[in-house]
Amino acid sequence: MNRNRPGHASLGMYPFEQLRPTYDRLWEAVRAEAPWLPAKLGWDRALDESWLASDMVIAQTCGWPLINELADRVRVVGAFEPRVPGAVGHRYRSVLVAREPCAVADLAGMRAAVNSSTSLSGWVSLVAAVHGPGATWAGAVSWTGSHRASIAAVAEGCADVASIDAVSWVHFGRLVPELVAGLVEVGSGPLVPSLPLITAACTSDEQLAELRAALAAGCASPEITIAAHELCIGGFDPLGLEDYLSLIHLAPHPGPTGAIN
């Protein structure tokens, strides 16, 4: 990371158009603490492209690709503290949703709508919650490509259950209430670290410390209290890769899933 070039900053893991101006206000508060950071957040790149881009200053990823693909190629900055039900500091639980109330044990063998096999909230947490860590999903799986599509699949009867990132679930309920209408929460996933913020592997210890301090101060700034509330952010915790490595014990067994697409 070179302080003499603009660089790229991305906080795009919650792709709601309505939230972009709010994220921009948060970034302004962060940058006020470290003016060498990129002036604006970038919204024009695919998420996975930003993770390893040569000009990446900060990006947001998922815990599962972090430990499986990015571990030795980036540095972990930390994570926002999710202000959602069931969260503890920077850790939170995914939300299991269905059309009718039922026990979590009853979900075994049902049709699952899953955003991606690389999703900690949508796939890994689902299998761990219903079958246990290291297990195989017993029912059919529909790979949907997004949490939004997974919710729609359950609502339309194309699937019976989905595991949704808890922050996404709150945002959908507030911003797209018609999408979640008729669905109920039937359980939750294991308590896991929230979405990691990463920076380039070449980032120095000094720059990393400054970045962490700017994020902590920005999130605590009184000027962005309303913005933080809208983003479900209660603060920032500095973390390292070691805070995510324990997730590996949740890895689902890659057995047959009865996938339907």
Side-chain angles (χ1 to χ4, degrees), residues 113-127:
V114 182
N115 58 328
S116 169
S117 62
T118 63
S119 173
L120 177 60
S121 59
W123 176 234
V124 179
S125 290
L126 173 65
V127 178

Side-chain angles (χ1 to χ4, degrees), residues 5-118:
R5 69 173 187 235
H8 183 78
S10 172
L11 296 176
M13 284 293 284
Y14 296 109
F16 296 85
E17 289 280 347
Q18 304 98 311
L19 296 180
R20 287 187 179 183
T22 313
Y23 272 113
D24 288 337
R25 289 197 293 275
L26 171 64
W27 186 247
E28 288 173 3
V30 172
R31 191 172 180 273
E33 304 293 329
W36 55 270
L37 291 171
K40 301 288 184 181
L41 290 174
W43 300 103
D44 58 342
R45 292 186 187 177
L47 288 172
D48 54 354
E49 291 179 5
S50 68
W51 297 341
L52 294 173
S54 60
D55 62 345
M56 188 265 283
V57 175
I58 189 169
Q60 195 172 35
T61 184
C62 173
W64 204 244
L66 172 65
I67 64 173
N68 285 285
E69 304 171 29
L70 305 173
D72 59 351
R73 306 168 75 183
V74 300
R75 300 192 73 177
V76 176
V77 181
F80 293 126
E81 297 179 358
R83 186 179 288 164
V84 294
V88 180
H90 63 268
R91 296 182 296 164
Y92 68 158
R93 301 177 186 273
S94 58
V95 181
L96 276 59
V97 301
R99 289 184 303 281
E100 301 290 341
C102 67
V104 171
D106 294 336
L107 298 172
M110 289 190 178
R111 300 170 300 165
V114 182
N115 58 328
S116 169
S117 62
T118 63

Side-chain angles (χ1 to χ4, degrees), residues 9 88 101 113-114 133 163 198 202-203 253 258:
V88 180
V114 182
S163 180
I198 57 174
C202 62
T203 302
H253 188 276

